[in-house]
Amino acid sequence: MRLWATSSFLLNLFFLLVSLQCHAQIKVPALVPTPASVKMGQGSFIFSARTVIRADAAECKTVNFFTKYLLNTWKFKTMVVSSNVKNVTRQPAVYITTKGSEQLPAGGYKLSITPAAITLVGKDAGLFYGIQTLIQLFPLNTQGTVVLPCLNITDQPRFAYRGLMLDVSRHFFTVGQIKDLLDLMAYYKLNRFHWHLTDDQGWRLEIKSLPKLTQVGAWRVPRLEFSGNTLPPQPGESASDGGFYTQEQVKDIIRYATERHIEILPEIDVPGHSMAAIAGYPELCVTQNPDIKVNPGSSFAKWFPHGGFEMYVDNTINPTDEHVYQFLDKVFTEVAALFPYPYIHIGGDECYKGFWEKDAGVQRFIKQHHIKDMHALQGYFISRLNKIVQSKGKKLIGWDEILEGNLNDNVAVMNRFGEKGAVEQARKGLDIVLAPGGNGLYFDYAQSKSDMEPSSHGGNAPLWQSFNYNPEYPGLSTEEKKHILGVEACVWTEHISTIAKLYYMILPRMLGLAETSWSLQANKSYKQFITDFLPAHLLRFDKADINYRVPTALEQIDTTINASTYKFVAKVPFKGAKVYYTLNNITPTETDHEYIQPVTLTIPENTKMILKTIVITPVGHRSVVTRMIIDNKVK
């Protein structure tokens, strides 16, 4: 009896340990952004050609998106039936429903996977985001079936505004390229596309009442940018570089974005950054110079040591001319009619006022209207423009500088300067979107300090910055934090002329943006992100041959240490990628030493060893080269 009891105890202990071991091996899937709550279950759901989708008829758009994705990506021809239809023999099933979503917040959803069924509960955008989560659970490849882990997810966005800005003025991107970017945004639950449509280098939006804006303003002479020293257009040169979107193309892109629950914020940049408009209509600026051409480079400006600059060519429209406001009324009438989004972005940044200061007519105007100075004159302009925007049933949003001159209008601010300004803006009761370059949200900045990074606008914004950024500044009260609409990353394209470089600059930093804008701060772990989650997404990019910045094998790009021995431990970003290294200061390639396992290096006394590494992915994407000097100096 005692022997049997002992054997039974040991047997039960064995099964308990096996059960605990199996449970410990269940990993949280690599979902980005991180859901609010993920609870892993036991077992799995087998998705196959026999799987049926049961859905509320009201959610046909979300279902259509899902089934089209299933067909195009995994070749599943899945049957869809109404939730009310009975006696469907094909099982198991996916249930997509709005029933039970009444208490869910905007954008929220619940996803349950059991061995018998997948159930997604949500409404509107919430259902769509739940579909994106489900899609991320599918593996890269299928063999006629897909094994999905059992789990329960309850999720909702942290911020309502989760944005990405693309500057198409400096370099034009096609309709197809814009749609591809919208797909990528949707995959990571970003929901605002800020479209920077006009600047000194090009006017990209058809305005039918003002045809010269695109006939002239959309085209510039071709130039290769180098250090801002761009040769101005020469007499007789053909303006052949550029492009623009017709209003029908814009409507098509808006429809495409709407299907992915993305709203588009258009930006018409005034009163500065208006050279492309002035090239078509010189009477808009105080100089009325008919020889002004669309700027082919980054700027025609001379920068001074104290941070100011002087424009050589007038790129600022005249705030004292009534004809300018008539022009703007025509522009914003058509912009407001095209874009359903309630806000219109008017830029308002970096307005050079030197030509205003020198103009006698402007000086008379400010005296007659008792305007204090040029900053107050810009405030006068913004206030006038705000009335025009409001007359179209829209709200005005602009960069921080729109508040110059103590503007008292009810406007929203897109903050690019960071915490100090954001706190002041929120305390004034202004709604704000946070896009500070100093917190890693300027994706045109380099991703490391390596000189192998592609040319950029300046600055350094590694992935960890966009991931770790906390927009809810501690100096704000609970009520003041309510004025934070959300977060946005900006991609200025002075140095981004191709789609390959665009993706290199935004990936994988876009994943950090997604985490910051969607996930709770307490749920974010950068260590877990780069160790467990990021590799799966990099592998997807590689398989799809989407360009991206490959993480380096060593965390430090360029460093020196003093040591007689060094244990070389490389980080391989994902399965299939390979690390190569050299010890003689030669840039490594596939023909050099392949890293297989940690290597202990011995450095003779008073000798330096230079270790260089590179990561090469299966499709040939390459990291920048890291360089470590190991110096065993003893004398």
Side-chain angles (χ1 to χ4, degrees):
M1 184 69 178
R2 185 175 297 173
L3 178 63
W4 169 249
T6 304
S7 299
S8 177
F9 171 77
L10 292 174
L11 191 63
N12 289 334
L13 179 61
F14 169 76
F15 283 119
L16 176 62
L17 291 173
V18 169
S19 175
L20 290 173
Q21 184 180 24
C22 291
H23 184 73
Q25 290 175 347
I26 298 176
K27 284 190 174 183
V28 175
L31 298 173
V32 176
T34 304
S37 172
V38 181
K39 295 180 180 178
M40 302 304 298
Q42 295 291 325
S44 57
F45 178 93
I46 309 300
F47 196 106
S48 70
R50 292 182 55 80
T51 303
V52 65
I53 297 177
R54 290 179 171 272
D56 299 341
E59 296 307 322
C60 60
K61 288 184 179 180
T62 298
V63 175
N64 288 343
F65 179 92
F66 184 42
T67 55
K68 188 182 295 184
Y69 204 102
L70 288 172
L71 179 62
N72 293 341
T73 306
W74 293 290
K75 310 305 176 188
F76 283 122
K77 295 182 179 179
T78 309
M79 178 186 288
V80 180
V81 298
S82 170
S83 297
N84 299 321
V85 175
K86 298 180 179 180
N87 301 321
V88 176
T89 59
R90 290 170 30 139
Q91 294 291 339
V94 178
Y95 296 90
I96 300 175
T97 181
T98 60
K99 295 176 183 177
S101 65
E102 295 79 12
Q103 302 303 315
L104 289 176
Y109 66 91
K110 291 183 178 181
L111 177 64
S112 170
I113 302 179
T114 69
I118 297 174
T119 304
L120 174 61
V121 178
K123 55 188 175 184
D124 302 323
L127 274 180
F128 182 80
Y129 298 140
I131 289 295
Q132 296 306 314
T133 297
L134 184 56
I135 287 172
Q136 286 194 23
L137 290 170
F138 275 64
L140 281 172
N141 301 307
T142 68
Q143 299 297 327
T145 60
V146 171
V147 180
L148 299 175
C150 289
L151 49 72
N152 282 285
I153 292 176
T154 302
D155 200 10
Q156 65 188 70
R158 182 183 184 187
F159 292 105
Y161 189 111
R162 305 178 300 280
L164 181 74
M165 185 279 282
L166 178 64
D167 164 21
V168 296
S169 174
R170 272 52 178 257
H171 283 101
F172 180 74
F173 293 91
T174 67
V175 170
Q177 291 167 341
I178 296 295
K179 288 182 175 180
D180 288 343
L181 182 60
L182 292 171
D183 283 334
L184 189 64
M185 290 177 62
Y187 190 74
Y188 292 110
K189 301 183 178 72
L190 301 177
N191 68 343
R192 298 290 187 272
F193 178 54
H194 174 183
W195 209 358
H196 185 82
L197 290 161
T198 75
D199 213 297
D200 294 332
Q201 292 80 8
W203 184 286
R204 305 299 180 204
L205 176 64
E206 177 189 26
I207 301 296
K208 294 182 178 181
S209 62
L210 297 162
K212 289 183 181 179
L213 285 174
T214 48
Q215 290 173 357
V216 177
W219 307 95
R220 62 185 181 186
V221 300
R223 286 285 184 271
L224 292 176
E225 180 68 37
F226 65 102
S227 303
N229 298 314
T230 305
L231 183 69
Q234 301 299 295
E237 269 194 295
S238 174
S240 57
D241 183 7
F244 66 94
Y245 308 99
T246 68
Q247 292 194 7
E248 286 306 309
Q249 288 174 322
V250 170
K251 291 175 184 176
D252 178 45
I253 290 172
I254 291 172
R255 282 192 296 268
Y256 194 86
T258 302
E259 291 171 357
R260 286 147 184 80
H261 290 271
I262 296 172
E263 296 184 274
I264 299 181
L265 168 65
E267 180 177 354
I268 305 297
D269 206 345
V270 288
H273 290 285
S274 297
M275 197 178 298
I278 292 169
Y281 298 93
E283 64 272 17
L284 292 173
C285 65
V286 296
T287 62
Q288 300 191 11
N289 181 356
D291 296 324
I292 291 176
K293 307 295 182 186
V294 179
N295 190 347
S298 58
S299 70
F300 291 135
K302 177 181 180 182
W303 292 87
F304 295 99
H306 56 76
F309 64 93
E310 178 181 6
M311 293 295 299
Y312 293 140
V313 182
D314 195 349
N315 75 335
T316 307
I317 60 178
N318 186 351
T320 69
D321 189 344
E322 287 302 313
H323 293 95
V324 166
Y325 296 103
Q326 294 168 13
F327 166 88
L328 292 173
D329 188 80
K330 290 181 180 180
V331 170
F332 285 94
T333 294
E334 297 192 33
V335 171
L338 269 177
F339 292 90
Y341 191 58
Y343 284 94
I344 295 176
H345 200 302
I346 60 89
D349 63 311
E350 297 175 345
C351 176
Y352 178 69
K353 304 173 180 65
F355 292 102
W356 295 354
E357 293 171 345
K358 298 174 184 176
D359 185 78
V362 170
Q363 294 303 315
R364 285 194 301 271
F365 184 91
I366 63 173
K367 289 179 180 179
Q368 291 170 358
H369 291 79
H370 307 289
I371 296 173
K372 180 182 176 182
D373 54 23
M374 295 300 106
H375 294 300
L377 180 58
Q378 178 169 330
Y380 167 86
F381 170 84
I382 298 298
S383 186
R384 287 283 304 268
L385 182 54
N386 189 30
K387 291 181 175 62
I388 292 174
V389 171
Q390 289 177 337
S391 73
K392 314 305 175 189
K394 300 293 185 180
K395 301 175 185 177
L396 184 149
I397 186 170
W399 302 107
D400 306 67
E401 291 96 324
I402 64 172
L403 301 179
E404 289 183 1
N406 295 318
L407 181 74
N408 294 316
D409 286 27
N410 182 21
V411 296
V413 180
M414 189 161 284
N415 174 285
R416 67 192 184 101
F417 292 131
E419 182 171 357
K420 182 181 178 181
V423 169
E424 292 175 355
Q425 291 153 11
R427 286 177 177 168
K428 288 180 180 178
L430 298 172
D431 289 339
I432 56 176
V433 174
L434 292 166
N439 293 101
L441 295 180
Y442 266 31
F443 289 175
D444 50 306
Y445 286 5
Q447 299 189 62
S448 76
K449 295 181 179 179
S450 169
D451 58 7
M452 291 187 66
E453 295 287 356
S455 59
S456 66
H457 195 54
N460 177 38
L463 169 63
W464 63 263
Q465 279 194 311
S466 63
F467 183 95
N468 286 333
Y469 175 51
N470 184 3
E472 295 184 286
Y473 297 119
L476 294 173
S477 68
T478 301
E479 283 301 310
E480 289 164 346
K481 287 178 182 178
K482 292 179 181 179
H483 288 291
I484 301 174
L485 302 178
V487 185
E488 175 174 294
C490 300
V491 189
W492 303 102
T493 62
E494 286 95 335
H495 301 273
I496 304 174
S497 59
T498 65
I499 196 68
K501 186 170 182 180
L502 174 64
Y503 281 109
Y504 180 95
M505 299 302 283
I506 67 175
L507 296 174
R509 290 187 286 195
M510 180 189 279
L511 281 65
L513 168 67
E515 290 283 344
T516 290
S517 59
W518 179 280
S519 305
L520 296 172
Q521 194 73 15
N523 286 355
K524 294 195 301 179
S525 165
Y526 187 65
K527 182 179 179 180
Q528 183 183 39
F529 173 73
I530 60 173
T531 302
D532 299 333
F533 297 170
L534 182 60
H537 292 264
L538 296 179
L539 183 58
R540 288 180 184 270
F541 299 151
D542 211 61
K543 288 282 187 180
D545 202 17
I546 296 173
N547 202 25
Y548 63 98
R549 184 185 184 274
V550 179
T552 54
L554 297 178
E555 185 175 349
Q556 296 294 328
I557 299 293
D558 195 352
T559 188
T560 300
I561 62 171
N562 295 306
S564 59
T565 61
Y566 173 72
K567 188 174 183 180
F568 169 37
V569 181
K571 183 175 178 58
V572 182
F574 56 83
K575 186 177 180 180
K578 294 184 177 181
V579 176
Y580 297 93
Y581 67 96
T582 60
L583 302 173
N584 56 358
N585 201 27
I586 299 296
T587 299
T589 67
E590 298 93 330
T591 61
D592 291 298
H593 302 292
E594 181 182 351
Y595 176 87
I596 305 298
Q597 61 188 11
V599 179
T600 299
L601 304 174
T602 302
I603 300 89
E605 290 185 356
N606 297 314
T607 302
K608 292 180 182 178
M609 180 180 290
I610 301 179
L611 167 67
K612 287 188 173 182
T613 72
I614 192 170
V615 178
I616 303 179
T617 75
V619 301
H621 293 137
R622 295 167 182 256
S623 72
V624 300
V625 174
T626 69
R627 177 175 178 266
M628 174 180 283
I629 301 175
I630 311 164
D631 189 356
N632 184 15
K633 187 176 182 180
V634 295
K635 292 182 181 179

